[in-house]
C-alpha cells in the first residue's frame, strides 16, 4: 500500500498538523518566561514532550527552582516510558530505529499506532504522526519564540491553555470508569490545595504522591470483577503480542479432557 493511501498515515498527518500548530504557544510562553530562543529550541528538539516542556517553563515562570522544574517535567515524562514498553513490543524497531522511535514516542504517535489493527498500519501511523509532529512542533516553536514579543502577553490569546486542553482531550476519553475518574479528581483537588503553600512545581509532585499512595493501597484489594476495575481505560488499546498467537505452541490438554494419565 502506498503511503498516501494509508488510512493510518492520513490520520497521523492530520494529527501532526493540528498538534504541531500549537507549538507556537510553547515558543511564545517560553520566551515570555525568560528563556532565550536557543534554550526554547533545545527544549523542543531534545525534550520533545509537550506536557513536560510546558511543565518546565511553567515552574520557571512561577519562580521555581531548576530542580523543581526538572522534577515536574520528568514526572510528566514517565508516561512516555510506559508508552515505549508497549510500542517496543508492538513495532519491534531495530538498529537506529530503536533510538529514533524512542524519541518520537509521545501521546499522539502512540494513540495513532495503537488505534490500528494491522501491524503495517501501526508502523505507518506511528512514524507519520511522530515525525510529522516533530517537524511541525519545532517549526512552530521557532515561530512562537520569534514573534512572542510582538504577541504581547500570550495569556491574552489563550496560548497558555492550548497544550493543557490538548492533553486533557487525549486523556479524558480513556477514563471510562468511576475509580480512575475519582483518582483524577482527588489529585486535581490536592493540587489546588497545595498551590498556596508550596513552591512552584511542587504541587504536581504532591498530586503524584497522592496518586501513588492510592494505587498502593488499592493494589490487591479490588476484585477483578469489581466496577471500575474492568475496562477502566488505563489498559493498553490492543494486545502487543496478539499477532504472535498463531506461532505459539498450543497448551497441553488437562487430564480428564480426552488424554490418559
Amino acid at each position: 500500500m502506498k503511503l498516501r493511501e494509508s488510512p493510518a498515515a492520513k490520520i497521523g498527518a492530520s494529527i501532526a498538523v493540528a498538534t504541531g500548530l500549537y507549538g507556537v504557544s510553547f515558543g511564545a510562553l517560553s520566551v515570555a518566561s525568560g528563556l532565550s530562543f536557543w534554550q526554547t529550541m533545545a527544549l523542543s528538539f531534545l525534550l520533545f514532550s509537550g506536557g513536560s516542556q510546558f511543565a518546565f517553563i511553567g515552574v520557571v515562570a512561577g519562580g521555581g527552582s531548576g530542580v523543581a522544574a526538572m522534577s515536574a517535567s520528568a514526572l510528566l515524562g514517565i508516561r512516555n516510558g510506559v508508552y515505549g514498553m508497549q510500542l517496543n513490543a508492538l513495532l519491534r524497531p531495530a538498529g537506529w530505529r530503536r533510538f529514533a522511535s524512542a524519541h518520537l514516542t509521545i501521546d499522539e504517535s502512540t494513540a495513532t499506532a495503537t488505534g490500528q489493527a494491522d501491524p503495517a498500519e501501526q508502523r505507518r501511523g506511528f512514524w507519520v504522526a511522530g515525525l510529522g509532529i516533530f517537524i511541525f512542533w519545532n517549526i512552530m516553536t521557532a515561530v512562537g519564540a520569534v514573534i512572542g514579543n510582538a504577541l504581547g502577553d500570550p495569556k491574552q490569546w489563550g496560548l497558555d491553555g492550548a497544550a493543557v486542553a490538548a492533553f486533557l482531550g487525549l486523556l479524558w476519553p480513556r477514563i471510562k470508569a468511576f475509580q480512575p475518574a475519582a483518582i483524577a479528581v482527588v489529585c486535581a483537588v490536592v493540587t489546588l490545595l497545595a498551590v498556596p503553600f508550596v513552591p512552584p512545581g511542587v504541587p504536581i509532585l504532591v498530586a503524584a504522591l497522592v496518586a501513588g499512595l492510592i494505587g498502593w493501597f488499592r493494589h490487591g484489594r479490588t476484585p477483578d470483577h469489581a466496577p471500575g476495575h474492568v475496562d477502566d481505560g488505563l489498559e493498553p488499546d490492543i494486545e502487543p503480542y496478539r499477532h504472535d498467537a498463531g506461532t505459539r505452541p498450543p497448551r497441553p490438554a488437562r487430564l480428564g479432557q480426552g488424554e490418559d494419565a
Side-chain angles (χ1 to χ4, degrees):
M1 179 186 295
K2 294 181 180 180
L3 191 62
R4 65 174 178 269
E5 299 175 352
S6 166
K10 293 178 181 179
I11 294 173
S14 62
I15 291 176
V17 173
T19 303
L21 286 176
Y22 66 78
V24 68
S25 63
F26 172 74
L29 288 170
S30 182
V31 296
S33 300
L35 273 68
S36 69
F37 173 84
W38 293 112
Q39 288 172 330
T40 298
M41 293 306 302
L43 281 175
S44 278
F45 190 84
L46 300 176
L47 181 55
F48 186 53
S49 180
S52 296
Q53 293 176 226
F54 277 97
F56 185 92
I57 64 171
V59 175
V60 171
S65 65
V67 173
M70 289 186 293
S71 299
S73 179
L75 180 63
L76 287 177
I78 290 176
R79 72 189 191 282
N80 292 343
V82 178
Y83 297 158
M85 290 186 286
Q86 182 184 6
L87 289 175
N88 186 56
L90 193 69
L91 305 178
R92 298 183 179 182
W96 63 269
R97 290 183 179 85
R98 291 178 63 88
F99 299 96
S101 60
H103 194 56
L104 299 178
T105 298
I106 55 176
D107 300 294
E108 294 82 0
S109 61
T110 301
T112 305
T114 57
Q116 314 303 316
D118 179 66
E121 284 292 272
Q122 292 165 2
R123 289 190 290 271
R124 294 188 190 103
F126 173 83
W127 289 108
V128 171
L131 285 171
I133 293 172
F134 182 80
I135 294 171
F136 279 106
W137 181 266
N138 279 277
I139 291 175
M140 298 311 295
T141 293
V143 172
V146 170
I147 68 173
N149 293 331
L151 288 174
D153 186 0
K155 296 181 180 179
Q156 293 179 350
W157 302 89
L159 297 179
D160 55 325
V164 176
F167 184 78
L168 289 177
L170 286 168
L171 175 64
W172 194 252
R174 298 184 64 87
I175 303 179
K176 306 171 185 176
F178 173 76
Q179 289 187 14
I183 293 173
V185 171
V186 169
C187 291
V189 172
V190 168
T191 302
L192 292 175
L193 293 176
V195 167
F197 303 104
V198 296
V202 176
I204 190 174
L205 302 179
V206 175
L209 177 61
V210 171
L213 290 174
I214 293 174
W216 175 267
F217 287 109
R218 176 189 171 194
H219 180 68
R221 295 174 181 265
T222 304
D224 290 344
H225 63 274
H229 182 79
V230 181
D231 294 330
D232 60 7
L234 302 180
E235 68 281 346
D237 295 307
I238 61 175
E239 169 56 50
Y241 295 101
R242 82 185 183 290
H243 50 271
D244 288 344
T247 61
R248 290 183 177 179
R251 294 181 178 178
R254 295 179 180 176
L255 295 178
Q257 294 182 343
E259 287 192 7
D260 296 330

